[in-house]
Amino acid sequence: MLLHLFAGLFFLKQTAGPPADSSKKNTFDSSAYVKITSINIIGNKVTKRYIILRELNFKEGDSIPYRDLPTRFLKSKQNLLNSSLFNFANIDTFDTRFGSTKIMIRVSERWYTWPVPIFEIADRNFNTWWETKDLSRINYGFFLNRDNFRGRKERFALIAQFGYYEQYGFAYSIPYIDKKQRQGIGMSFVWTRNHEIPYASYLNKLLYYKDHSSYARRELSAKLNYTYRQGIYNSCMLEGKYFNGYVEDTIQKLTTDYFQGNARTMEFFQVHLLSKRDCRDSKAYPLKGYYLDCDINKVGLGILQDEKVDLWYVTASARKYFKLSDRFYLAGSVRGKVSSRTEQPYYTQRGLGYGDYVRGYEYYVIDGQHFALAKTGVKYEIIKPHVAKFDFFPSEKFNTFHYALYAEIFADGAYVEDDLYGSSANPLANQYLYGYGVGLDYVTYYDAVLRLEYSFIKSGENGFFIHLWAPI
């Protein structure tokens, strides 16, 4: 699939770019108000009309200054694309008369059903796997994902995964269960088991235990959530989780705190509240706008008799994106975590290196109870977003795609505070860290991003790294 996504940069037939989301010229004052008499939608073969209307910042019957229409159209187009339901969306006026106009929306729907085999690396990122190239650290299996189920933006997924990280389960969510399209619900159930697990970190590298004949860890988790979306940009989620885990007795001998109290089993309820405001022009690769979130977690509610875990933590982030000139962009972000200073099992320790990190430190994990992370980057648009076609593909869901190419210089910094293990075992904790470098980003359809970076860090180490998501 990656070859299909990225080969388009070299094997494409360029076509004209997408039509601008601007209104047609009229014969009346642009400051005058115009009434939207109707909204027509073309291309939504699966998606329900009301799902599309939910993403617009105008509606039938609204009276809007005519000069404001292009801005309204652009914001609404970005909302439609950020819904992950469409590859393309265009909005324009037609049949414009004095004091009124009609709206035409054209969308190109994505492919929503993915019955695909799983074949992926199990490490924290591609670069850590490439150090060993160990084929036993591969996940394989079957994944069935149905997005936009019944055309209502519902999501249904089944997974049967084998190999390094065995996983079986399902997930279902529906974003809107009320007429005002604000409230939604979701649920998931997952059973996992591993022959090999990390049980500690030393010198900021994970230490692993492996049992070839049995499973080192088994765990079950079930989640139920409620979502509320206010307007277009604000949303929150309240989620409850049940966890039950079991490890072999060898883990008890290797460490003293993998589970709470060094027990072989751990069971708890968890609740977390996530609130966010998302005003980015693109979720997959933002260039303008901003994003804010705050996530409050309480692990251990005292409901179960053997629920020994009792801790809380809060994470929050802010990201801002600027357009400096025609081809230059600036982005910056800050993210932090604060947790309770009570005793915490190693299983719940998460600092940096598990999905977020200072660039250049991909090979390291920095466990801790608190951290602060800042990232900055300046991009130059080498190839502006273009639309192209694979003529040999009959389906418009795959044969028409967009692509763009960016060069970047970046600098990141962080501090992780570790009260449990100190700086002797993991020296990167309790000190300021920084990294900087250059990168090349290829962005294409289905939210795919290929990043190639060369980074330098505080110790003088440097290296080449590959990633498949946006840096900030």
Side-chain angles (χ1 to χ4, degrees):
M1 187 61 187
L2 287 175
L3 291 177
H4 168 60
L5 292 173
F6 299 128
L9 182 60
F10 307 102
F11 304 95
L12 57 88
K13 177 180 179 182
Q14 184 172 317
T15 65
D21 289 337
S22 59
S23 54
K24 295 181 175 65
K25 293 183 178 180
N26 56 77
T27 58
F28 54 89
D29 185 359
S30 63
S31 65
Y33 280 77
V34 59
K35 183 176 182 179
I36 299 175
T37 57
S38 68
I39 299 176
N40 300 273
I41 304 174
I42 297 176
N44 57 321
K45 298 177 182 179
V46 176
T47 310
K48 301 295 183 183
R49 174 183 170 87
Y50 70 84
I51 294 295
I52 296 175
L53 296 178
R54 177 66 174 81
E55 304 302 322
L56 308 179
N57 57 8
F58 56 83
K59 60 181 183 297
E60 290 183 356
D62 281 355
S63 292
I64 301 170
Y66 198 86
R67 63 188 176 194
D68 291 348
L69 285 180
T71 301
R72 295 282 190 110
F73 289 176
L74 178 60
K75 291 291 186 181
S76 297
K77 172 184 174 179
Q78 292 171 351
N79 296 337
L80 289 171
L81 295 177
N82 281 333
S83 71
S84 299
L85 298 179
F86 310 106
N87 282 324
F88 298 95
N90 289 294
I91 307 175
D92 211 340
T93 59
F94 75 100
D95 196 15
T96 300
R97 302 178 182 180
F98 186 80
S100 67
T101 189
K102 297 178 181 179
I103 305 297
M104 176 64 70
I105 300 175
R106 296 178 175 87
V107 296
S108 174
E109 293 181 317
R110 293 186 174 189
W111 186 261
Y112 299 127
T113 303
W114 294 96
V116 296
I118 296 171
F119 188 80
E120 62 183 14
I121 60 174
D123 286 275
R124 295 175 293 107
N125 58 66
F126 174 83
N127 308 283
T128 55
W129 177 81
W130 191 251
E131 280 189 300
T132 62
K133 304 177 184 65
D134 184 356
L135 294 179
S136 69
R137 302 176 70 85
I138 295 292
N139 296 325
Y140 60 91
F142 183 84
F143 181 79
L144 175 63
N145 186 57
R146 172 64 180 179
D147 289 319
N148 203 18
F149 184 51
R150 300 193 300 168
R152 306 167 189 262
K153 208 180 176 182
E154 296 171 78
R155 181 176 181 269
F156 180 76
L158 292 172
I159 185 170
Q161 178 177 290
F162 312 97
Y164 183 81
Y165 189 77
E166 293 187 24
Q167 189 176 74
Y168 312 91
F170 74 90
Y172 170 78
S173 65
I174 177 170
Y176 308 121
I177 57 174
D178 62 327
K179 292 184 178 180
K180 293 184 177 181
Q181 298 185 70
R182 294 179 180 177
Q183 303 177 78
I185 57 173
M187 65 186 70
S188 66
F189 178 89
V190 179
W191 165 252
T192 63
R193 56 187 185 179
N194 308 71
H195 288 287
E196 183 178 59
I197 61 171
Y199 64 88
S201 57
Y202 181 69
L203 299 179
N204 298 108
K205 295 293 185 80
L206 292 176
L207 302 179
Y208 290 90
Y209 166 74
K210 186 171 186 177
D211 188 329
H212 295 276
S213 60
S214 184
Y215 293 96
R217 183 181 67 203
R218 303 177 181 89
E219 59 185 59
L220 177 150
S221 68
K223 298 179 181 179
L224 181 65
N225 65 61
Y226 165 81
T227 58
Y228 182 82
R229 186 180 180 192
Q230 183 179 14
I232 293 177
Y233 305 110
N234 300 318
S235 64
C236 62
M237 178 180 71
L238 179 65
E239 182 176 77
K241 173 184 175 180
Y242 169 76
F243 172 88
N244 190 308
Y246 165 87
V247 293
E248 288 188 346
D249 56 2
T250 305
I251 299 298
Q252 291 178 298
K253 301 173 184 178
L254 293 172
T255 181
T256 60
D257 61 352
Y258 186 81
F259 281 163
Q260 190 74 38
N262 203 30
R264 293 184 63 185
T265 62
M266 187 167 68
E267 184 181 26
F268 60 80
F269 279 101
Q270 177 179 350
V271 63
H272 84 98
L273 176 64
L274 172 64
S275 178
K276 62 183 179 180
R277 178 171 175 81
D278 193 345
C279 295
R280 297 172 293 178
D281 59 345
S282 168
K283 291 181 179 179
Y285 197 82
L287 295 172
K288 293 186 290 185
Y290 66 92
Y291 173 90
L292 303 169
D293 71 22
C294 181
D295 192 358
I296 304 172
N297 286 263
K298 178 64 173 69
V299 184
L301 306 182
I303 297 175
L304 303 172
Q305 183 177 359
D306 296 327
E307 195 173 15
K308 299 177 181 179
V309 185
D310 181 18
L311 64 96
W312 58 263
Y313 62 92
V314 179
T315 59
S317 68
R319 310 169 205 170
K320 179 66 176 174
Y321 310 88
F322 307 86
K323 184 174 183 178
L324 300 177
S325 65
D326 182 46
R327 288 181 179 266
F328 282 95
Y329 297 87
L330 171 66
S333 70
V334 291
R335 183 169 182 258
K337 175 184 177 181
V338 177
S339 62
S340 57
R341 295 184 179 273
T342 56
E343 181 184 356
Q344 296 186 21
Y346 177 81
Y347 183 85
T348 63
Q349 295 286 320
R350 285 295 181 270
L352 295 179
Y354 300 93
D356 212 350
Y357 46 84
V358 173
R359 281 172 280 187
Y361 287 85
E362 281 88 338
Y363 296 136
Y364 300 100
V365 295
I366 312 172
D367 291 317
Q369 300 78 53
H370 326 283
F371 69 78
L373 170 66
K375 293 185 174 184
T376 59
V378 177
K379 301 178 189 294
Y380 176 74
E381 195 172 49
I382 300 174
I383 300 177
K384 291 190 173 185
H386 279 70
V387 176
K389 271 194 174 183
F390 289 121
D391 289 334
F392 50 85
F393 272 101
S395 173
E396 67 174 9
K397 291 179 173 61
F398 295 102
N399 67 8
T400 304
F401 65 98
H402 64 270
Y403 67 95
L405 187 66
Y406 300 87
E408 181 184 23
I409 57 174
F410 59 84
D412 302 344
Y415 185 91
V416 179
E417 183 177 331
D418 186 359
D419 296 330
L420 299 179
Y421 306 103
S423 301
S424 58
N426 294 285
L428 294 180
N430 303 319
Q431 66 164 297
Y432 292 100
L433 307 172
Y434 62 82
Y436 58 93
V438 296
L440 194 66
D441 301 346
Y442 175 56
V443 185
T444 187
Y445 67 157
Y446 284 89
D447 299 337
V449 178
L450 174 64
R451 282 169 44 217
L452 309 177
E453 293 178 343
Y454 199 92
S455 306
F456 301 82
I457 61 175
K458 181 179 179 180
S459 65
E461 296 178 53
N462 57 82
F464 176 74
F465 301 96
I466 299 174
H467 294 290
L468 301 176
W469 60 85
I472 300 177

